[in-house]
Amino acid sequence: MVQVLLVALVVVVLAGALYTAAAARVVKQFERGVVLRLGRLRNDVRGPGFTMVLPGVERLRKVNMQIVTMPVPAQDGITRDNVTVRVDAVIYFKVVDAASAVIEVEDYRFAVSQMAQTSLRSIIGKSDLDDLLSNREKLNQGLELMIDSPAVGWGVQIDRVEIKDVSLPETMKRSMARQAEADRERRARVINADAELQASKKLSQAAAEMSSQPAALQLRLLQTVVAVAAEKNSTLVLPFPVELLRFLERAQQPAPQQQPAQQPTAEPPAAAQPPAEAPSAEAVPAPVPPAPSSTPGQPAPVAPASATPATAARPRPPRIAGTKPLARH
């Protein structure tokens, strides 16, 4: 009889040990336990530590309450200014309501990942390329609000969203590089022109000071020679004053001749009047009165001395009596 009791006691102890092993659960510090009894949610969420459930009746689901870092796959999109880009991001979130994360959504991790991808494509289409490259803080805040709105109902809190990289086509990269180079060249030219303007003002002031003291220019010339000679060069460059060149140029020019003063009442000299044009050689000779008839064998009459200068200067051939002079055309 005693043996039977001992065997029964051992069986009870073993059954209790098996039941305890089947019902015992350990919840870690960063986890929370959601209990479902016969498929129905229990109101109490089990905290960290040792807890018991009814085997076969209750089911315990552990939910991680730590912050989850999830990379968002790169998404291809077209910006508002029609530029094709490829953007990837990273999202930080955590579960704040373990019961809602188990009941409201099947897999909250997958749901958050899909929502992040959709929101990222949407934010790409609403933004310009310059905003994606330089104004990321504003885009991160907008992306966080877009993901956090549906995630609140799942018991998930979006902690932070960051855009990691923006990939551009090679042609766009080259165009942006040329634009940046042109902008830097423009700024360099502006700075150089500003420096020239300031230097010209200072040089004009220095020239004004040196002009008052001629010895200052010689001292400046000696300082330049000393500065050049300090480099231990075999060739010494001496500046040549520009004023000396101008002096030599004026010395080579002939002195202007002084003209006598003219009387106010005297008439201008005859040499100042333009010369009269000489009569053209092709001019038609003046008509000559017909000579009296003469007998053959007599010499032709001589032209009078009152003929025109052109006719008197050129001798004419003898004319036969009874003929008329030929007109020149």
Side-chain angles (χ1 to χ4, degrees):
M1 187 67 182
V2 176
Q3 295 180 353
V4 174
L5 291 175
L6 290 175
V7 171
L9 181 60
V10 171
V11 170
V12 171
V13 172
L14 292 176
L18 292 177
Y19 178 81
T20 303
R25 297 290 187 273
V26 176
V27 180
K28 299 179 181 180
Q29 181 67 36
F30 54 85
E31 294 178 340
R32 296 295 182 271
V34 179
V35 179
L36 298 175
R37 178 176 294 178
L38 298 177
R40 187 174 181 178
L41 177 65
R42 294 292 303 271
N43 294 329
D44 55 337
V45 176
R46 306 294 174 88
F50 181 80
T51 184
M52 298 288 293
V53 295
L54 297 176
V57 178
E58 294 180 348
R59 182 181 178 184
L60 179 67
R61 292 191 59 177
K62 300 177 183 179
V63 179
N64 193 339
M65 307 296 290
Q66 291 177 319
I67 295 178
V68 180
T69 303
M70 178 181 295
V72 180
Q75 302 297 315
D76 295 328
I78 301 177
T79 60
R80 190 168 58 181
D81 50 354
N82 299 326
V83 179
T84 303
V85 294
R86 185 180 181 86
V87 183
D88 57 350
V90 60
I91 182 173
Y92 303 88
F93 67 94
K94 63 180 179 179
V95 178
V96 294
D97 189 356
S100 298
V102 174
I103 302 300
E104 300 295 337
V105 63
E106 179 181 3
D107 187 355
Y108 66 91
R109 290 175 178 265
F110 181 75
V112 171
S113 176
Q114 294 299 315
M115 180 56 65
Q117 297 179 29
T118 305
S119 301
L120 183 59
R121 286 193 297 267
S122 178
I123 206 70
I124 291 174
K126 295 179 181 179
S127 305
D128 296 333
L129 179 60
D130 294 339
D131 295 336
L132 288 175
L133 296 177
S134 60
N135 196 11
R136 292 189 180 182
E137 291 295 333
K138 182 179 179 180
L139 296 181
N140 293 337
Q141 294 177 3
L143 190 59
E144 180 179 350
L145 291 176
M146 293 178 65
I147 302 175
D148 189 62
S149 298
V152 171
W154 305 336
V156 178
Q157 178 183 356
I158 305 300
D159 188 67
R160 193 171 185 180
V161 181
E162 293 287 343
I163 295 177
K164 292 197 302 184
D165 187 22
V166 179
S167 300
L168 299 175
E170 293 297 329
T171 56
M172 181 59 65
K173 290 181 180 179
R174 289 194 293 268
S175 299
M176 295 177 65
R178 289 195 299 267
Q179 179 184 0
E181 183 179 359
D183 184 65
R184 290 184 177 275
E185 185 177 358
R186 177 186 62 83
R187 287 187 291 176
R189 290 183 178 180
V190 170
I191 294 173
N192 191 16
D194 191 13
E196 292 291 340
L197 177 60
Q198 296 179 5
S200 63
K201 293 181 180 179
K202 295 299 182 181
L203 288 176
S204 63
Q205 295 177 4
E209 292 292 334
M210 289 183 179
S211 61
S212 60
Q213 295 293 334
L217 184 61
Q218 298 297 330
L219 293 176
R220 183 57 182 166
L221 177 60
L222 294 177
Q223 291 178 359
T224 305
V225 173
V226 171
V228 174
E231 299 294 334
K232 299 181 180 180
N233 295 327
S234 59
T235 303
L236 183 61
V237 180
L238 294 178
F240 201 74
V242 181
E243 289 75 8
L244 183 58
L245 293 178
R246 294 176 181 174
F247 174 76
L248 295 177
E249 182 180 0
R250 289 194 299 267
Q252 292 178 359
Q253 294 180 356
Q257 298 180 0
Q258 296 182 357
Q259 297 181 358
Q262 299 179 359
Q263 297 297 331
T265 57
E267 295 180 358
Q273 297 179 358
E277 297 182 356
S280 177
E282 299 297 332
V284 179
V288 181
S293 60
S294 60
T295 59
Q298 295 181 356
V302 181
S306 61
T308 58
T311 307
R314 185 178 57 184
R316 292 185 300 176
R319 186 177 56 187
I320 302 175
T323 61
K324 296 182 178 180
L326 298 178
R328 293 184 180 181
H329 297 283

